[in-house]
Amino acid sequence: MKRSTTTTTTLLAIATSYLFLLITPTPKSTYHSLFISNSLSDNTSISNHLKTLTRRPHVAGSEANAEAASYVASVFTSSNIPSHIASYEVALTYPLSRSLVLTNPPPQPPTTFTLHQQTYEGDPYADVADEVVPTFHAYAKSGTVAAPVCYVNYGRVEDYLTLKEKNGVNVSGTVVLARHGKIYRGDIVKNAYEAGAVGVVIYSDRKDYGGGGEAKSKWFPDDKWLPPSGVQVGTVYGGLGDPTTPGWASSGGECEKLNKDEVEKGGEVPLIPSLPVSAADGEKILRSLGGPIALDDWQGSKDAPIYRIGPGPGILNLSYYGQDVIATIQNVIGVIEGAEEPDRFVILGNHRDAWTFGAVDPNSGTAALLEVAQRLGKLQKRGWRPRRTIILCNWDAEEYGLIGSTEWVEENREILASRTVAYLNADSVVGGPRFNVRATPQLDELIKRATQEVKDPDNSSKSIYESWTSSDISPLIGRLGGGGSDYASFLQHVGIPAADIAFGGGYQVYHSLYDDFVWMEKFGDPMFQRHVAAASVWGLVALWLADEELLPFDYLSYAKELQLSVENLKDEISNKDINLSPILKSIKELEKAAIKTNKQRKEIEASDGWITRKKDHLKVRELNDRLMMAERAFTDRDGLVGMSWYKHLIYGPSKHNDYGSQSFPGIDDAVKMAKNLHTAESWHRVQHEVWRVSRVIKHASLVLAGQLT
Amino acid sequence: MKRSTTTTTTLLAIATSYLFLLITPTPKSTYHSLFISNSLSDNTSISNHLKTLTRRPHVAGSEANAEAASYVASVFTSSNIPSHIASYEVALTYPLSRSLVLTNPPPQPPTTFTLHQQTYEGDPYADVADEVVPTFHAYAKSGTVAAPVCYVNYGRVEDYLTLKEKNGVNVSGTVVLARHGKIYRGDIVKNAYEAGAVGVVIYSDRKDYGGGGEAKSKWFPDDKWLPPSGVQVGTVYGGLGDPTTPGWASSGGECEKLNKDEVEKGGEVPLIPSLPVSAADGEKILRSLGGPIALDDWQGSKDAPIYRIGPGPGILNLSYYGQDVIATIQNVIGVIEGAEEPDRFVILGNHRDAWTFGAVDPNSGTAALLEVAQRLGKLQKRGWRPRRTIILCNWDAEEYGLIGSTEWVEENREILASRTVAYLNADSVVGGPRFNVRATPQLDELIKRATQEVKDPDNSSKSIYESWTSSDISPLIGRLGGGGSDYASFLQHVGIPAADIAFGGGYQVYHSLYDDFVWMEKFGDPMFQRHVAAASVWGLVALWLADEELLPFDYLSYAKELQLSVENLKDEISNKDINLSPILKSIKELEKAAIKTNKQRKEIEASDGWITRKKDHLKVRELNDRLMMAERAFTDRDGLVGMSWYKHLIYGPSKHNDYGSQSFPGIDDAVKMAKNLHTAESWHRVQHEVWRVSRVIKHASLVLAGQLT
């Protein structure tokens, strides 16, 4: 019986392998080369997309942003990519009234700030400038406060410590003045509240946004720097997604919603009012302050006045009232169904809503997304179909708190968890010349490979990889611990491998009136070649993930990266009685599993023959499922302590800085607390967090190895 | 190009379909018929297994139980099933000293209870009776208390309410005397503690365990009933798994463990001492009580004395000291690797450890498991290999709190979550003649089908199905909300479809000295045909799940069952302002998804041809993954409020009765609380729980439909 089977199989093999040649399709790699070739890329088209998308300010919930959604959908359609709108009814806020008055000691007159960003001469967008939402903080507490001002540098926890310990200043009862820069503005307000402040004003210091002392009179439109009246608008919400539906989707029709009281009890919206102001206004307030002179590194640029801390003597009267609305937001979702594995998803995402015109943030990314869509459309015309499903997402209301992507992920959480290979984000994809990437480490090698294939848009004699690796960026690839963009819910809530790519550097008009098409054409990307290159890298990584039979994930990089993180942790807790061997042991197991998996991959590749394909198909799938699901295993159902929405124990935000990008956020927070409290119990909690991390790494290694105990 | 493809494909089809006939394997259905045929089943072998397994008492952690593990492993090996031991180091307790003395008012002498179960004349196990662990409660609080006794019926929350409202009795400061029966003994102790009692004695009333008034002198070995000195031993732990590793596995080597204080703070171990006693001892204590006469339904059997409530006048002196040990427990895991989908698991499980000899509980199940293993071994010899992997698990330390299965599931959680098709449990699989099954509803039809194929062991002219459905059991198929056996962590923690099967009825020697082979031979299953039948149903369901190309899950049953649960809920909350339409709407969506899925299954079945199999393979897998993962989506990461280890929002235990088998435990608990508190806020919480349930049902329907929004 056995012999007869073998014989027929052999006969079959000979007979059909000849026939098979006749129907061999174009190799996927041919399409991939085509994708990044000049023949498919189109910088003029990208420029046109950007111009169209940014012709009006388009904050989330506005008619202009709905128009932009239609535009995105129309480009998908014309690229033969079926799309639909996933809309949600969410709680947004707009400013209703704002005022800021500094009452100086007599005889000085009070100063009333206009809170207005000035258009410039020849500004082509001057006629729609009044459509820009007035400068404010989304989800700021409504109210009026009047109190002396205290300067708190960047408003970090350590800044308050400095104030207390070095200057003997207590900010309780004051309005604090902080400068933008080091931490998330929402955390500036939160830290201020926790320190006892009654209101917060945040300004953009010339040192950070104005090009330094040398650039004192050079700013947009003459240079790339933020003009003196420029204001960084933004959200101060600490959570993700619609604040009234924490953890679940704001689906249309019937849906559970928290009321305002419940939202405030949730602790993620500020409980004191705040306003953002310009460099000019910030400096004015600073000049009014008395009290001790601030430390050197708290000072401004060389030509700035001496900064004093206050508090007072003047009284700052801050009034902000917001309007709460329920707005319809629209994610545009384009789907290219996979030919062989339609139930495996490679997702590309970028948001569309902008505080003002959004030329860099976010529509450079939207333009690149549309470029990717068009190139994929062209590939489809030439016969390409992806092995796995590619999903192109254009998110709404990111600026308010990653709302569009979060609601969608929350709504589709279970199906995304079981099907998604990777999520590739691009937010402000072009703001300068420097290539910049953050990713979960199993994607590192793949991203490096892609940058080797694509030319540096600013130096065509080199690949992006060559320019990138010869720069001083360190580490070369960043990680995604912070909550800065739409990858957050994919990675930090569900455990999906993720990356975020950008060309950046020198983009200081962030979230201001001046983030417009003129700025992009003059400073960001005059030839739109950076956009072309971004679309190439972004799309190529996606194509490989969608088309390669075996998923190109390398978990050895993950093990190495975790090892590095442990080294950093060791420094943090040196001479404390914390046992790190559980983590080290689990990393070893992950490494072993990675080696085993890489070996199996090679075996499958070597044995590949179409006649045995029937069986191999499920073998391939088995290996791929392990590669895909291993990242999920880094999540823990209980999540981070006190921030339980965040399930990933390797990458997540730390408590006092949502932008922080530490590994092991749970350990990190516990260490910070222990160093504060100096109790045995608090160090015991650090050890507990070490155990928790070691356990998720062990889970990941079991999933990767495909091994039951 | 297209034409040429078609032509070659057609040629290929004709040429190879002829050759294919030569190598067609035996259909799986032939093996399945063989599996339940007389030629493979063996009641003598089952009887021998049971006799061997029960020849000595084998409590968890004992040498005898390790011996039994070796026996199980040896049968796996001789059946050509590779196996390994998954061992854990866990915290168990054994009794160190026990005493119970009733001091009566003078001149009556004090009564000292022997707390001893008597062997009977001709007892073949009399020589090893001293190996039986003395009667106690596992994880009982060590300590000595002396207080008047108060009779509290079954010790339920409503019994305390009756005491307070009808009898005006406050149990605070007393030792309560409760009878076994309606709720989990751990909850009897917990409720007593919450009512202010200082100690608990639980006895087995003759009305419930002694065969009623008519059977007053007939008990084992003359009849099946519990003898007067018989004691129901058991755990009073409220959690699952090793109490020192809540939520994670007690792996060997380094492992985080809670200390005793931390365990007690966790709230799952009792904080007052307790002891179980016999019917005779319970009655003696009852006779000593004064105070009001208990209500009619609190009374005992007709010939029993009148029960009074007390408290007192006598003082009961209860002393219990336990010994805490770290014991090695051993799960025996046998694996038959799937030929086509090795990464899909069908798991059968039963525990091995017993409080005494364990003839019914649990080794009737172990004997059936070994019978299944042997039959599968025989099938393998005849050429059968399962499509998916079949895993046979023999758990340890179930009696202490489902410890063996829970540690294993916690250790392998992520891989089990992504790979397990179903978990099929059999604990006390034969204790009487009545077929009894509990399952998640998508398994209903499959189980009914299996019972149609297997003859009623007590009436060979009928199928099990015919006898079962003509009995008065209602509902026909129970659900798995309670935490009574090893399915708990699979279903309630991970969301794996599960079933539990048994032949029961009339097994009153539960957890007593008398659960031995003699009892089984005389009363439980004299011919061991019920064991044969149980192995047939259990194994056949497993074989279908492992071999059928399309998973035989029917989610229409699930939708129907949920609809029924909502009807029950409506009665519970009638005239309260609770909106159930979110759940009803989500059930409708689940129903739609089930109809769509069933239709797709038919289409795939109709289109099935081996030439297109390559493509179909992934199509089949896609549908199967949806069917498998839909159950997972009923879990919520945050879990039940206050019992967050329980992630399943449809099936889980309620707070005051771990054996309770309600649907929607979160809603149920919230309703109970609201009815107690009568506040708007508490009813608001009910509504929130309704929303939560509706959301998981919606997640399940999206996963089942394979649909992204």
Side-chain angles (χ1 to χ4, degrees), chain A residues 489-568:
Chain A
S489 46
F490 288 91
L491 173 62
Q492 297 165 0
H493 188 51
V494 183
I496 291 168
D500 181 82
I501 65 158
F503 283 91
Y507 162 56
Q508 310 309 42
V509 295
Y510 169 71
H511 284 196
S512 78
L513 179 71
Y514 313 103
D515 183 6
D516 65 14
F517 188 77
V518 176
W519 190 93
M520 180 62 81
E521 255 191 329
K522 279 193 162 182
F523 307 110
D525 192 11
M527 298 302 295
F528 284 85
Q529 290 300 353
R530 292 170 190 162
H531 281 82
V532 168
S536 293
V537 173
W538 194 14
L540 188 58
V541 170
L543 277 174
W544 284 339
L545 288 169
D547 280 341
E548 287 192 12
E549 191 169 26
L550 288 161
L551 288 179
F553 283 168
D554 181 8
Y555 278 88
L556 266 182
S557 301
Y558 223 126
K560 271 184 214 148
E561 179 69 22
L562 291 174
Q563 189 72 43
L564 274 177
S565 300
V566 174
E567 296 307 321
N568 292 338

Side-chain angles (χ1 to χ4, degrees), chain A residues 52 279 470 587 615 689 695:
Chain A
T52 307
S470 64
I587 294 173
K615 195 159 196 177
E689 291 293 331
R695 289 194 288 261

Side-chain angles (χ1 to χ4, degrees), chain B residues 72-83:
Chain B
V72 169
S74 74
V75 175
F76 285 172
T77 303
S78 67
S79 306
N80 202 22
I81 296 173
S83 72

Side-chain angles (χ1 to χ4, degrees), chain A residues 39 122 170 436 551 575 637 647 694:
Chain A
S39 66
N170 181 349
N436 209 309
L551 288 179
N575 73 42
R637 289 154 192 230
K647 304 298 182 190
S694 74

Side-chain angles (χ1 to χ4, degrees), chain A residues 410-432:
Chain A
E410 287 175 343
E411 180 155 41
N412 296 289
R413 188 184 64 221
E414 296 299 319
I415 192 161
L416 290 172
S418 62
R419 297 184 165 199
T420 311
V421 167
Y423 174 74
L424 307 172
N425 194 63
D427 186 335
S428 306
V429 82
V430 181

Side-chain angles (χ1 to χ4, degrees), chain A residues 12 16 256 411 688 698 709, chain B residues 12 16 256 411 688 698:
Chain A
L12 211 62
T16 54
E256 181 182 21
E411 180 155 41
H688 174 62
K698 193 183 171 196
T709 63
Chain B
L12 209 63
T16 53
E256 181 181 23
E411 180 153 42
H688 174 61
K698 193 183 170 196

Side-chain angles (χ1 to χ4, degrees), chain B residues 399-668:
Chain B
E399 295 296 2
Y400 275 82
L402 319 183
I403 294 181
S405 59
T406 302
E407 297 308 306
W408 192 76
V409 169
E410 286 175 344
E411 180 153 42
N412 296 290
R413 189 184 63 222
E414 296 298 319
I415 191 161
L416 290 172
S418 63
R419 296 184 165 199
T420 311
V421 167
Y423 173 73
L424 306 173
N425 194 63
D427 186 335
S428 305
V429 81
V430 181
R434 284 172 71 127
F435 183 70
N436 209 309
V437 67
R438 294 176 296 160
T440 47
Q442 77 277 62
L443 290 169
D444 287 4
E445 290 308 312
L446 188 72
I447 290 165
K448 287 180 192 166
R449 251 211 291 150
T451 58
Q452 284 163 356
E453 301 283 327
V454 179
K455 279 184 187 154
D456 179 351
D458 290 295
N459 180 352
S460 64
S461 71
K462 282 182 171 180
S463 69
I464 292 177
Y465 183 76
E466 285 168 311
S467 304
W468 176 35
T469 51
S470 64
S471 74
D472 56 353
I473 292 184
S474 174
L476 193 65
I477 299 181
R479 301 303 163 198
L480 296 166
S485 192
D486 293 305
Y487 55 80
S489 46
F490 288 92
L491 173 61
Q492 298 165 0
H493 189 51
V494 183
I496 291 169
D500 182 81
I501 64 157
F503 283 91
Y507 163 55
Q508 309 311 41
V509 295
Y510 170 71
H511 284 197
S512 77
L513 179 70
Y514 311 103
D515 183 6
D516 65 13
F517 188 77
V518 176
W519 190 93
M520 179 62 82
E521 255 191 327
K522 278 193 163 182
F523 307 109
D525 193 10
M527 298 302 294
F528 284 86
Q529 290 300 352
R530 292 170 190 162
H531 282 80
V532 168
S536 293
V537 173
W538 195 14
L540 188 58
V541 170
L543 277 174
W544 284 340
L545 288 169
D547 279 341
E548 288 192 11
E549 192 169 25
L550 288 162
L551 288 179
F553 283 168
D554 180 8
Y555 278 89
L556 266 181
S557 301
Y558 223 126
K560 271 183 214 150
E561 179 69 22
L562 291 174
Q563 188 71 43
L564 275 177
S565 300
V566 175
E567 296 305 323
N568 292 338
L569 183 58
K570 270 185 192 162
D571 297 342
E572 276 284 294
I573 57 165
S574 60
N575 73 42
K576 298 293 173 186
D577 187 24
I578 298 296
N579 174 12
L580 292 179
S581 75
I583 296 197
L584 292 168
K585 211 174 129 194
S586 65
I587 294 173
K588 270 271 165 266
E589 287 179 42
L590 185 66
E591 194 187 1
K592 262 192 242 165
I595 290 168
K596 174 186 167 184
T597 308
N598 290 352
K599 197 176 148 224
Q600 284 180 323
R601 177 207 306 278
K602 281 190 184 134
E603 282 166 9
I604 292 178
E605 281 167 350
S607 76
D608 202 29
W610 89 275
I611 197 67
T612 56
R613 193 62 72 86
K614 187 198 112 179
K615 195 159 195 174
D616 274 3
H617 252 292
L618 289 174
K619 223 177 180 179
V620 165
R621 178 82 164 208
E622 191 263 352
L623 190 66
N624 283 341
D625 279 359
R626 281 155 48 192
L627 288 161
M628 176 177 80
M629 298 307 280
E631 181 77 43
R632 251 46 118 229
F634 289 122
T635 64
D636 179 274
R637 289 153 192 230
D638 297 331
L640 296 178
V641 175
M643 305 166 81
S644 69
W645 185 91
Y646 295 94
K647 304 298 183 189
H648 206 288
L649 298 195
I650 311 297
Y651 298 116
S654 72
K655 267 194 189 130
H656 285 280
N657 178 14
D658 188 55
Y659 282 173
S661 188
Q662 294 291 338
S663 316
F664 313 146
I667 301 179
D668 197 56

